[in-house]
Amino acid sequence: MIKPRCGRDFPIIYPFLILKDTPFFPALIDEVIDVASSIRRTAFRAAFPKTIPILTGFLFLGMAYGILMRTKGFHPLYPTVMAMTIFGGSLEYVAVEMLLSSFAPVATLLMALMIQARHLFYGIAMLDKYRGLGWKTPLLIFWMCDESFSINCTAEVPDEVDRGWFYLWVSLLNWCYWVAGATIGAQVGAVLPFDTEGLDFVMTAMLAVIFLDAWLKEKQHWSSVIGLCGSLACLLIFGADGFMLPTMACILLALTVLRGLIERAEGKAGDAV
Amino acid sequence: MSPMPFPQQVIVILLCIAATMSTRFLPFLIFTSKKPTPPFVQYLGRALPSAIFGMLVVYCLRNVEVLSGSHGLPEAIALAATFLLHLWKRQMLLSIAGGTAVYMLLVQLVF
């Protein structure tokens, strides 16, 4: 059943919903409602398989996070609420340390901004894809974690699937996985009956496959090489805790300097990647 | 339990939320659909994704110790398995599951 709300469904559905309480055309009304919910269903069927690796990874990592917060003595609601609102794995782990040390709001904010700065890049890359989707846009931005960004940025949404709903399902499902993982970890503790050591590699494997897939599809490899080499070089120079900001600066600089070259390589081979 | 009083804990969490959401929302607030996006930003939007994926792979592997422990061998072997599987079958889920399985076997049984 569709309730009237703003966004894509609204203009088509609304008049029929008014008609629904009248004796006119009940069969036609049912059909229209079916179409609207089938848009969502088709999008869900396309989106869910893409999120299966994240289902595994987020349940596991979320549980580890929930268990960690419990062992540090926090109330079990903390991981759930923080997973729902911050929704950024690495920062949430760091936030545990912040909560356990002395109160330093400025340092906290700067640290959090540094850890999350990479989202600025995601936003720039998703400007065209996420804009103009009505009420879905702010939700998609709110839920734009590394994994949702990676999937939505690379997914080739089939023509018969509604793009907005596809993005929304991917983002919503990922958010649910993470919140569910953190909650299970906090409430139940370790529940998996087998040895899970190494299961967190599922996130690395997924990003590696997405990287490889993008590599196979793109017409020039400048960006990929810049991203990979730039971050490796910065990791060697600055170490694991502080290499992301220098990496982002490197990438931005290299892309700016090589713009002419990259755009020519793109143009020569056809459409932009 | 945290030595921090509850209101301060709330502030820390709120700051983390604010930092996350400002970085997620800022590009969309600066480049609204009312004004045309500058060509350079459009170019960045096209060129950035591949660079970001390279960066995220390194980010996932940032804590691997190459000089000590297992020298990053499990990671290297599992990544190679993931890549080969993907080049062979082009089935994303299969490549991810296969690579993860190889890694779990390696860290649990071999290294």
Side-chain angles (χ1 to χ4, degrees), chain A:
Chain A
M1 232 325 267
I2 300 284
K3 293 188 187 75
R5 42 182 101 146
C6 52
R8 263 196 73 137
D9 304 334
F10 179 79
I12 320 165
I13 292 299
Y14 190 56
F16 292 98
L17 281 173
I18 297 169
L19 282 176
K20 194 170 166 49
D21 297 328
T22 68
F24 300 117
F25 313 116
L28 180 67
I29 294 161
D30 283 347
E31 196 161 310
V32 169
I33 288 169
D34 270 1
V35 169
S37 65
S38 87
I39 288 174
R40 281 181 289 177
R41 229 179 296 133
T42 322
F44 183 84
R45 277 200 209 103
F48 175 66
K50 303 261 183 200
T51 67
I52 291 174
I54 298 165
L55 171 63
T56 324
F58 272 15
L59 279 182
F60 174 67
L61 293 169
M63 271 172 56
Y65 168 68
I67 293 166
L68 173 78
M69 285 212 77
R70 276 314 290 279
T71 55
K72 299 276 184 189
F74 288 96
H75 188 274
L77 278 178
Y78 274 76
T80 305
V81 171
M82 286 165 71
M84 283 174 144
T85 51
I86 304 177
F87 190 45
S90 36
L91 176 58
E92 282 170 48
Y93 274 98
V94 177
V96 180
E97 296 306 314
M98 291 170 172
L99 288 171
L100 289 171
S101 47
S102 52
F103 183 59
V106 178
T108 299
L109 182 67
L110 288 178
M111 182 72 161
L113 280 173
M114 243 164 63
I115 294 172
Q116 301 294 48
R118 63 187 188 284
H119 293 97
L120 291 169
F121 277 10
Y122 304 168
I124 294 174
M126 295 307 275
L127 277 176
D128 287 341
K129 290 193 162 120
Y130 278 0
R131 266 193 319 216
L133 294 172
W135 58 271
K136 296 189 193 79
T137 300
L139 284 174
L140 290 170
I141 302 171
F142 176 76
W143 284 327
M144 192 167 56
C145 61
D146 302 322
E147 292 75 11
S148 298
F149 157 76
S150 303
I151 291 182
N152 284 341
C153 183
T154 48
E156 285 160 356
V157 187
D159 287 341
E160 69 273 16
V161 175
D162 181 82
R163 225 164 37 85
W165 274 105
F166 176 89
Y167 295 154
L168 197 71
W169 279 125
V170 169
S171 310
L172 173 63
L173 284 169
N174 290 345
W175 183 75
C176 291
Y177 302 155
W178 179 248
V179 173
T183 306
I184 295 169
Q187 302 287 347
V188 189
V191 288
L192 293 178
F194 57 91
D195 190 351
T196 51
E197 191 194 352
L199 189 58
D200 50 342
F201 193 77
V202 72
M203 302 322 302
T204 314
M206 189 192 79
L207 285 164
V209 170
I210 287 178
F211 174 78
L212 178 64
D213 233 32
W215 178 284
L216 293 170
K217 278 178 197 147
E218 67 195 1
K219 277 137 191 145
Q220 45 83 22
H221 300 304
W222 286 102
S223 304
S224 305
V225 173
I226 289 169
L228 208 54
C229 297
S231 41
L232 275 175
C234 290
L235 178 61
L236 288 177
I237 300 169
F238 297 98
D241 292 329
F243 81 107
M244 286 299 270
L245 281 189
T247 302
M248 289 174 63
C250 267
I251 290 175
L252 215 51
L253 185 72
L255 288 180
T256 310
V257 172
L258 297 175
R259 182 180 176 191
L261 190 74
I262 292 173
E263 288 202 314
R264 240 175 298 133
E266 270 180 359
K268 221 186 295 169
D271 288 335
V273 181

